[in-house]
Amino acid sequence: MTGEDAADSPLTGVRNFRDLGGLPGPGGARVRPGRLFRSGHLAEATPADQEFLAGLGLRTVFDFRNDADRALEGPDVPLPGVRHVVLPLSDAADGEEFWRTLREGTMPQLRAALAGGRAEASMLETYRAMVRDRTGEHGRMLRDLAAGGTPALLHCAAGKDRAGLAIAIVLLALGVERDAIVADYLKSNAPHRRYRLRRTAPDAPEEEAEARRLVAPLFDARTAYLDAAFDEIDVRFGGPERYLTEVLGLTDAARQRLREDLLTA
């Protein structure tokens, strides 16, 4: 299965799944199919989904959710012989308050939290913060991948933000151009990939459309969000090379192993 955006994923309980294989790398190389995958959480994977995932030959699943996410959605289903690595890229306290507001908040509470550009501003800062404050987690991920952790599946809750940035960092290490990274990231906007928010607060019919508009920036994959992360890498850390090597601790040898494993001519 490749990274195309057709709605033909065999998975029914796992959203936003795709293989990064085929993305263009340096010097005409391509990301090798069947080595690097991304998705939403695996807590609701059906028996058929589990059979499919087991058939990928995965060695590692990276779960970037925090404790609040896992309490809400449940733990990933176990996959035989697959190492499950939990690397939260956001704080549980923030996640608990976030989901409570989205699911249970009244319309005045939603407006106070999200209207007037506040939702977009929150997302931009989230991406900057993941670059700035989660260097230990991203560095460990790269080292694990380089040390034989592939084939690997990287996921968070929706497979868009935390997994999206983690995938972007891996692709930067492989030498994939930013335009190609953004193009893959934007595939998360396809209707069949998007996270399904279930509101428990009763919205009046005339307020339902407003509620959808208010929360939309939180569930959109927007170029501006990934650009904010790239800007943080460039401005604060002096560009991807310094970020990868000096901040995340990716050695030349580890990067070479990554490229040999994940790229094909």
Side-chain angles (χ1 to χ4, degrees), residues 115-153:
R118 285 185 285 276
E120 294 90 339
S122 174
M123 292 301 298
L124 293 170
E125 175 53 26
T126 292
Y127 276 71
R128 296 187 191 101
M130 285 192 290
V131 167
R132 183 178 66 242
D133 301 335
R134 300 292 171 170
T135 56
E137 291 86 347
H138 286 130
R140 179 186 168 184
M141 172 196 68
L142 289 174
R143 290 190 294 273
D144 277 11
L145 289 172
T150 61
L153 170 64

Side-chain angles (χ1 to χ4, degrees), residues 229-247:
F230 290 149
D231 287 346
E232 192 77 4
I233 289 173
D234 290 340
V235 175
R236 181 179 292 270
F237 296 108
E241 289 304 309
R242 287 191 61 194
Y243 184 67
L244 289 166
T245 59
E246 297 180 21
V247 180

Side-chain angles (χ1 to χ4, degrees), residues 51-264:
E51 182 179 359
F52 173 83
L53 293 168
L56 297 176
L58 296 172
R59 291 185 180 177
T60 315
V61 168
F62 290 93
D63 183 350
F64 301 123
R65 297 178 299 163
N66 57 46
D67 289 343
D69 297 319
R70 288 191 297 278
L72 177 70
E73 297 151 351
D76 284 347
V77 297
L79 298 173
V82 179
R83 186 173 59 116
H84 188 259
V85 178
V86 176
L87 285 178
L89 295 182
S90 59
D91 292 331
D94 295 337
E96 186 175 5
E97 182 61 29
F98 169 79
W99 288 113
R100 182 182 300 113
T101 299
L102 294 190
R103 292 178 180 272
E104 304 172 11
T106 63
M107 283 304 301
Q109 289 173 326
L110 280 183
R111 293 183 189 114
L114 304 175
R118 285 185 285 276
E120 294 90 339
S122 174
M123 292 301 298
L124 293 170
E125 175 53 26
T126 292
Y127 276 71
R128 296 187 191 101
M130 285 192 290
V131 167
R132 183 178 66 242
D133 301 335
R134 300 292 171 170
T135 56
E137 291 86 347
H138 286 130
R140 179 186 168 184
M141 172 196 68
L142 289 174
R143 290 190 294 273
D144 277 11
L145 289 172
T150 61
L153 170 64
L154 282 57
H155 81 80
C156 51
K160 174 178 75 76
D161 301 315
R162 290 165 289 187
L165 180 58
I167 285 289
I169 289 172
V170 176
L171 295 177
L172 285 175
L174 296 178
V176 175
E177 294 293 332
R178 291 188 184 187
D179 286 349
I181 296 173
V182 172
D184 172 75
Y185 167 77
L186 293 176
K187 289 181 179 180
S188 293
N189 284 325
H192 67 286
R193 299 188 188 278
R194 294 175 71 92
Y195 188 89
R196 292 174 179 171
L197 175 66
R198 299 177 179 90
R199 289 264 297 155
T200 58
D203 295 326
E206 63 273 14
E207 294 177 332
E208 290 180 0
E210 181 186 2
R212 287 194 296 270
R213 287 195 301 272
L214 287 170
V215 304
L218 304 176
F219 297 102
D220 288 346
R222 299 187 178 183
T223 302
Y225 299 162
L226 206 52
D227 283 347
F230 290 149
D231 287 346
E232 192 77 4
I233 289 173
D234 290 340
V235 175
R236 181 179 292 270
F237 296 108
E241 289 304 309
R242 287 191 61 194
Y243 184 67
L244 289 166
T245 59
E246 297 180 21
V247 180
L248 300 190
L250 182 66
T251 65
D252 290 342
R255 186 187 294 200
Q256 183 63 26
R257 290 195 299 270
L258 270 180
R259 292 188 171 187
E260 290 174 353
D261 181 35
L262 295 178
L263 294 177
T264 184

Side-chain angles (χ1 to χ4, degrees), residues 18-35:
R18 57 193 181 273
D19 185 340
L20 280 295
L23 289 182
R30 296 269 174 180
V31 176
R32 191 186 303 273
R35 306 298 292 175

